[in-house]
Amino acid sequence: MLRFARNDALLFLVTAAALLILQDAALAQAARHPFAVGPAESGGAATGFAGLILAWQSKFQLQLQSAVRALKTDGGAFFPLAAASFAYGVFHAAGPGHGKAVLASYMIANETALKRGLLLAALAALLQGSVAIAIVGVAAVAFSATARQMTDAAGYVEAASYLVIAALGARLVYVKGRALLDALREPALALAPARAFACDWTDDPTHVHGPDCGHAHMVDPATLGAGFRWGDALATVLAAGLRPCSGALLVLAFALSQGVFLAGAGAIVLMSAGTAITTGALAATAVFAKDAAARLTQKSARRATTIFRGAELAAALLVLALGVAMLVGWLARSS
Amino acid sequence: MRPRLPGIIVILALLVPGFAKAHPHVWVVVRSEIAFTPDGKVRGVRHAWTFDEMYSAFALQGLGKDGKPPTREELAPIAKVNAESLAEFDYFTFAKHDNAKAAFGPPEDVYLEADDKKIVTMHFLLPLETPVSARKPFSFQVYDPTYFVAFDFEKQDPIALAAAPSGCSTSLVQPKPLLSAETQKLSEAFFSNMSPGADFGIKLATRVVVACP
Ligand SMILES: [Zn+2]
Ligand SMILES: [Zn+2]
């Protein structure tokens, strides 16, 4: 039973990451969409709950549209725009292209701290909003750039983000690959120092844990994903948040055309907050899932460690694959 | 708590992909005219696609002088690029003749127009590779399989016939609505679309049928 549950959780980790990656990799289509707004952000054939999301998405975007229009006539009408932006952020970020895949994979490969995961999600969402504001703000306000030029600018930022994703993936593969090799090579005892075990079986303080001491051991979740580095975390924020969001670009261009660009920029910050909620929920799910998998693992610490290093490596490989697939797709589109 | 968590996780895993996909950003209202050859065959479809306010604002950014909308000439380069990239997406127009797929050639008479309210409309004629007899049913749908663009036919007079043989008529076959208006409950069509792999775009798209005696 417990084994079954553990396998469930592990299976989830890798499946969820794979699904997210597939979802995002669908963006790496070879053809450029004729009505693309900034980076590619199409969703692929829609199934399942998509119908509902579709209805909501339409509703919020139309609300945004009328809220911007209302602001033009009534400068005090910021609240409806703020509310619509926030709601749009929450639902819209469920779609591909908002860094969820990168974040989730990074969290599985590397991270076990919930607060840090939420912070990374928030920073990535904020960065995504800022990039959109920068593109429309600088390009359009200062140089009266056209849609084509804004889309091109967004395209270069997009390519840069894929490079960062691929580089982050490569680094994670290297680190996690080595960790897996170590886990396979080292004797069980050396691999499992006492503090990696938590034992609720006995209160005997003299009890020494070991692989053969006859009762259940858990892997301490805190030791999984050890070796946190701010460099990786920052690269994750860049990888997940650098690519601007089509929805934000549209709102900003419309706000600009209505002469309320600053209010539009404010709305985008709120949209980012909404996005952060969705991506943050996903990051939290990844952390919880990993934590749950660790807690459910009671049979053999050694085996568990090997499996975990394997799952981490799989997540790292997915990040690398995503980065490369998106980069190839971008090159194909822009050649 | 422990035994339940994997279940929750599995549910989340099932939700994530379905939750995430459909994603319209651009809304287009379609008016189409069926073009005929002098000898009464269906020659193709002449589209007028009107974009929503936001996309129009994006498309017109940096164009036009003194607050006036840009002219057709100013918009010509964009129209050209749009027409070219439409080819990769089958012009979002999927036609059938006598139950077989009917292919379109490159678009003609392509131009973009911006009205006084700065709403953009794209016009083009989409000729069939070979004109087809109108005696057998000709039909088409307009949709974006990637669902980046949501296409809808104009409410009033979406379809016109140009120089059609006498007795020809058109009809619109509507898809079942996702949310039926009276009950605000999810309709049957929604649930039948829950199955994985169902092509939402097709099921949601109105089909225009042209019939001549
Ligand atoms: Zn977006
Ligand atoms: Zn989007």
Side-chain angles (χ1 to χ4, degrees), chain A residues 63-86:
Chain A
Q63 266 173 13
L64 272 175
Q65 205 158 298
S66 57
V68 172
R69 218 184 299 119
L71 201 62
K72 192 190 179 185
T73 45
D74 173 12
F78 184 69
F79 182 74
L81 176 62
S85 288
F86 180 74

Side-chain angles (χ1 to χ4, degrees), chain A residues 3-333:
Chain A
R3 256 190 75 155
F4 174 73
R6 180 190 67 196
N7 289 345
D8 262 7
L10 278 173
L11 196 66
F12 162 74
L13 287 184
V14 179
T15 329
L19 285 171
L20 281 163
I21 298 278
L22 282 176
Q23 183 213 328
D24 251 12
L27 297 178
Q29 51 185 317
R32 185 183 191 96
H33 196 288
F35 308 118
V37 177
E41 213 190 275
S42 56
T47 53
F49 281 87
L52 208 56
I53 293 294
L54 190 150
W56 285 337
Q57 160 102 15
S58 305
K59 211 177 129 209
F60 290 131
Q61 190 156 339
L62 293 177
Q63 266 173 13
L64 272 175
Q65 205 158 298
S66 57
V68 172
R69 218 184 299 119
L71 201 62
K72 192 190 179 185
T73 45
D74 173 12
F78 184 69
F79 182 74
L81 176 62
S85 288
F86 180 74
Y88 183 81
V90 173
F91 289 100
H92 175 81
H98 298 91
K100 292 188 309 300
V102 176
L103 264 173
S105 304
Y106 169 81
M107 298 308 289
I108 290 170
N110 233 21
E111 188 60 81
T112 52
L114 179 58
K115 273 188 198 153
R116 233 162 21 200
L118 293 178
L119 180 68
L120 293 188
L123 286 176
L126 196 65
L127 176 64
Q128 194 172 45
S130 311
V131 170
I133 293 173
I135 285 177
V136 181
V138 175
V141 177
F143 307 110
S144 90
T146 60
R148 189 83 208 157
Q149 289 160 330
M150 285 193 288
T151 302
D152 286 349
Y156 290 121
V157 179
E158 187 189 4
S161 83
Y162 298 155
L163 270 176
V164 180
I165 294 173
L168 178 70
R171 207 196 101 75
L172 289 176
V173 167
Y174 172 71
V175 174
K176 297 300 160 187
R178 259 193 4 189
L180 177 64
L181 283 181
D182 286 352
L184 289 173
R185 220 182 277 138
E186 280 173 32
L189 263 176
L191 184 96
R195 73 174 205 87
F197 289 117
C199 177
D200 43 18
W201 208 271
T202 171
D203 290 327
D204 176 10
T206 62
H207 173 80
V208 178
H209 293 299
D212 304 314
C213 71
H215 57 252
H217 290 125
M218 292 189 286
V219 180
D220 180 355
T223 64
L224 291 164
F228 170 83
R229 287 178 17 142
W230 277 109
D232 290 352
L234 231 71
T236 307
V237 169
L238 280 180
L242 207 50
R243 186 171 48 167
C245 155
S246 311
L249 289 173
L250 280 168
V251 172
L252 285 164
F254 187 50
L256 181 67
S257 78
Q258 300 292 304
V260 290
F261 179 74
L262 282 181
I268 295 309
V269 174
L270 285 158
M271 194 189 283
S272 299
T275 304
I277 286 181
T278 303
T279 52
L282 206 86
T285 310
V287 173
F288 284 136
K290 194 171 174 178
D291 199 59
R295 282 179 197 291
L296 287 163
T297 307
Q298 299 196 339
K299 291 261 160 165
S300 147
R302 185 199 156 93
R303 218 183 124 198
T305 310
T306 311
I307 291 173
F308 269 101
R309 297 286 178 246
E312 288 175 350
L313 178 61
L317 280 166
L318 283 170
V319 176
L320 178 61
L322 174 70
V324 172
M326 305 266 265
L327 204 56
V328 169
W330 186 86
L331 287 171
R333 272 204 306 284

Side-chain angles (χ1 to χ4, degrees), chain A residues 12 23 32-35 41 43 46-47 57-58 61 65 69 92 94-95 140 145-148 150 250 256 292 298, chain B residues 2 5 9 13 19-25 27 51-53 55 58 61 81-82 85 89 144 146 148 193 198 200:
Chain A
F12 162 74
Q23 183 213 328
R32 185 183 191 96
H33 196 288
F35 308 118
E41 213 190 275
T47 53
Q57 160 102 15
S58 305
Q61 190 156 339
Q65 205 158 298
R69 218 184 299 119
H92 175 81
T146 60
R148 189 83 208 157
M150 285 193 288
L250 280 168
L256 181 67
Q298 299 196 339
Chain B
R2 272 188 199 175
L5 197 59
I9 287 166
F19 190 72
K21 278 181 180 169
H23 211 91
H25 288 77
W27 281 263
F51 293 89
D52 66 281
E53 231 176 332
Y55 182 81
F58 181 80
Q61 164 55 41
V81 173
N82 282 353
S85 38
F89 291 80
D144 176 0
T146 71
F148 185 78
N193 270 309
F200 224 64

